[in-house]
Amino acid sequence: MDEIRAESWVHLHELLFADSWHEGLGRHRSDFVFRGEATTSGRLTTSLQRLGGDYSEVERHLLRNFRKYAERDAVPADSLWHWLALAKHHGLATRMLDWTYSPYVALHFATAHPEHYGEDGLIWLVDFVRANQELPKKLREALEREGMNAMSADLLQDVAPDLERFDDLGDDFVAFFEPPALDERIVNQYALFSLMPSPHARMDEWLERHPPLSRRIVLPAALKWEVRDKLDQANITERVLFPGLDGLATWLKRYFSPREADG
């Protein structure tokens, strides 16, 4: 897996938008998805794995009880994949990881916490279009039939209506799932999720076995303040990415924090 250290704001953009030219379309349309981390020490573990204990045994109980107690009209369709997207969106521990089509949204999450400004951050890039070539035949053919690059809730419902049947599709693959536009936060964050056919599977370990599909950009601590200030000027802030008063308050608190907050 390639890892490159950004040397400047300009160099960072060169790295983020590298290989975005799509010859067939004659347009700049990147095949990469992005994920921002505040430090370089984090691994791509899911919130379900971070629960600890026998987390694989509680996965179905978490989702069943979320569906039980949530409002019936909380999702547009009563399918596992709509409920799983909603649960993930509201913080339930799941086997899914957050990604975004936007490199700027990834940069936001790498610079959203001033307490980590003294540490290097990290941007993960994954070629999700090429990753689709590793999908089981049934999923790959469904994507090709619909002319899609990421799964939808409806497509997954047709192919695998529950996690057991999803897990039975194959042993070692990553599917990218574009959730329904449940609210403005999902839309504004240009969000999608990755999931694998086991609650124990690790995305970082899978990427190590498929090195051509990913790269990492190290965001130096010395560059974080510049990146953060320019993202704010570009309106890539909590106020936009987390619409509502909570996002507004978080943005204002961070925006008016003194430079000394990075230690």
Side-chain angles (χ1 to χ4, degrees), residues 33-72:
V33 292
F34 306 84
R35 178 180 171 90
E37 301 280 358
T39 71
T40 59
S41 59
R43 304 289 286 173
L44 294 181
T45 54
T46 67
S47 54
L48 181 66
Q49 290 164 351
R50 292 193 294 272
L51 278 181
D54 198 0
Y55 58 84
S56 62
E57 289 300 314
V58 303
E59 180 181 34
R60 65 184 187 278
H61 300 302
L62 285 167
L63 187 57
R64 185 184 69 249
N65 282 284
F66 184 85
R67 295 176 72 169
K68 176 181 177 181
Y69 293 112
E71 296 180 5
R72 294 294 92 191

Side-chain angles (χ1 to χ4, degrees), residues 76-93:
D78 187 21
S79 78
L80 164 77
W81 301 103
H82 284 87
W83 282 110
L84 192 58
L86 182 70
K88 172 65 176 174
H89 183 55
H90 285 282
L92 188 72

Side-chain angles (χ1 to χ4, degrees), residues 36-38 100 104-113 189 228 241-242:
E37 301 280 358
T100 176
Y104 290 127
V105 172
L107 284 177
H108 167 82
F109 286 105
T111 59
H113 304 287
Q189 292 183 13
R228 183 64 263 169
L241 300 179
F242 297 89

Side-chain angles (χ1 to χ4, degrees), residues 136-157:
K137 182 180 180 181
K138 195 171 183 180
L139 285 174
R140 191 173 65 253
E141 289 181 344
L143 279 179
E144 292 171 355
R145 184 171 59 251
E146 297 297 329
M148 299 163 63
N149 286 323
M151 305 289 168
S152 67
D154 292 336
L155 185 150
L156 282 169
Q157 180 67 18

Side-chain angles (χ1 to χ4, degrees), residues 137-207:
K137 182 180 180 181
K138 195 171 183 180
L139 285 174
R140 191 173 65 253
E141 289 181 344
L143 279 179
E144 292 171 355
R145 184 171 59 251
E146 297 297 329
M148 299 163 63
N149 286 323
M151 305 289 168
S152 67
D154 292 336
L155 185 150
L156 282 169
Q157 180 67 18
D158 289 341
V159 176
D162 54 52
L163 285 174
E164 290 76 14
R165 276 177 276 191
F166 179 82
D167 291 349
D168 288 341
L169 292 172
D171 297 323
D172 188 40
F173 66 89
V174 172
F176 284 92
F177 168 34
E178 188 172 311
L182 299 170
D183 63 17
E184 291 183 14
R185 178 154 61 101
I186 285 179
V187 174
N188 292 359
Q189 292 183 13
Y190 214 175
L192 72 165
F193 305 131
S194 64
L195 70 154
M196 300 181 68
S198 167
H200 298 285
R202 287 270 298 273
M203 180 77 168
D204 46 7
E205 294 175 352
W206 189 86
L207 291 173

Side-chain angles (χ1 to χ4, degrees), residues 206-217:
W206 189 86
L207 291 173
E208 288 172 1
R209 296 193 295 273
H210 301 81
L213 299 183
S214 66
R215 62 187 69 157
R216 302 196 302 184
I217 300 171

